[in-house]
Amino acid sequence: MTKETKKTTKTASDYQPTLQKLYKEKVLPALLKEMGVKSPMAAPKLEKIVINVGVKEAREDIKALEIAKDDLTAIAGQASQVRRAKKSISNFKLREGMPIGVRVTLRGARMYEFMERFINIACPRIRDFQGFAESFDGRGNLNLGIKEHYIFPEIDVEKSPKAHGMNITFVTTAKNDDDGRLLMKYMGMPFKKSAK
């Protein structure tokens, strides 16, 4: 192994997304100070991001599922997984094992890259955007619902004629909603301003 190859290998493994650097350099010290803890391990951090897209048209048209799968793969930068119905529901004309949606779970560098693109590029493209409601689940995880996937610049409207909604879950290591809310605010998540 020559000196040049050693250098390139080192820089490739040292790569960190901007948001990850921001977390380590600014968010973490601010969290430790505000929460009054000394150990960085006690501060909440982002664990994973799960993106779900339900495709009800998949019952009649399997092509709709393929389009949704390709779209989610383009948005996340990682291959998405087809999700199947766990049980049959006659009212919804749903049989067990039928494909009904696609999902992707992001961790590490991809997770931070997605969050950065979501906050800085996708959110400003939402029509009449006033910020997200603080919909935490009681364990410090944030759930967001998006009505149209067209807010992501990776989507080609000609190839994907029908708008899909999606659910994005930001899973954190926070013990409660207050810690999760604090983490998300410092990370730059645009929340609705509470009326005073």
Side-chain angles (χ1 to χ4, degrees):
M1 194 183 248
T2 62
K3 282 182 183 176
E4 285 177 29
T5 29
K6 271 185 184 175
K7 275 183 185 176
T8 50
T9 321
K10 191 179 178 201
T11 50
S13 64
D14 284 353
Y15 166 73
Q16 272 188 340
T18 317
L19 198 64
Q20 193 171 6
K21 280 181 192 167
L22 180 85
Y23 175 78
K24 286 180 179 173
E25 291 166 13
K26 292 184 181 169
V27 177
L28 189 58
L31 284 171
L32 293 172
K33 189 179 177 185
E34 191 153 338
M35 291 171 70
V37 289
K38 290 179 181 176
S39 170
M41 299 304 282
K45 66 173 189 267
L46 203 59
E47 198 176 334
K48 62 183 176 181
I49 296 174
V50 183
I51 311 166
N52 284 298
V53 178
V55 191
K56 61 180 178 185
E57 300 85 30
R59 291 187 311 235
E60 289 88 32
D61 182 18
I62 203 72
K63 279 183 187 173
L65 190 79
E66 287 302 314
I67 292 168
K69 192 178 177 188
D70 293 343
D71 287 348
L72 189 56
T73 301
I75 289 166
Q78 179 178 306
S80 52
Q81 177 186 29
V82 174
R83 304 301 293 158
R84 296 177 182 276
K86 288 183 180 173
K87 57 183 175 182
S88 303
I89 303 169
S90 61
N91 288 355
F92 299 124
K93 296 176 184 168
L94 200 63
R95 286 192 307 275
E96 191 180 336
M98 195 181 268
I100 51 166
V102 283
R103 177 186 77 178
V104 71
T105 304
L106 301 171
R107 287 185 172 88
R110 278 203 185 115
M111 168 184 75
Y112 285 105
E113 280 173 355
F114 171 79
M115 190 172 180
E116 190 178 351
R117 279 185 293 119
F118 178 69
I119 293 168
N120 298 327
I121 299 168
C123 288
R125 292 173 60 145
I126 298 173
R127 209 176 300 134
D128 303 326
F129 185 61
Q130 300 291 317
F132 293 111
E134 295 181 13
S135 49
F136 287 87
D137 65 352
R139 296 191 196 100
N141 305 319
L142 175 67
N143 286 292
L144 301 176
I146 305 293
K147 288 180 183 174
E148 290 184 355
H149 71 310
Y150 293 138
I151 61 167
F152 293 96
E154 296 89 354
I155 300 302
D156 184 359
V157 183
E158 288 174 10
K159 287 181 184 173
S160 178
K162 194 171 189 311
H164 289 293
M166 56 172 58
N167 173 263
I168 305 170
T169 305
F170 295 87
V171 181
T172 69
T173 58
K175 291 179 178 72
N176 54 46
D177 287 351
D178 293 334
D179 292 353
R181 193 176 292 110
L182 200 62
L183 170 69
M184 286 298 163
K185 278 184 181 170
Y186 277 123
M187 294 285 267
M189 186 61 72
F191 289 119
K192 277 181 184 165
K193 287 180 174 70
S194 54
K196 288 179 181 177

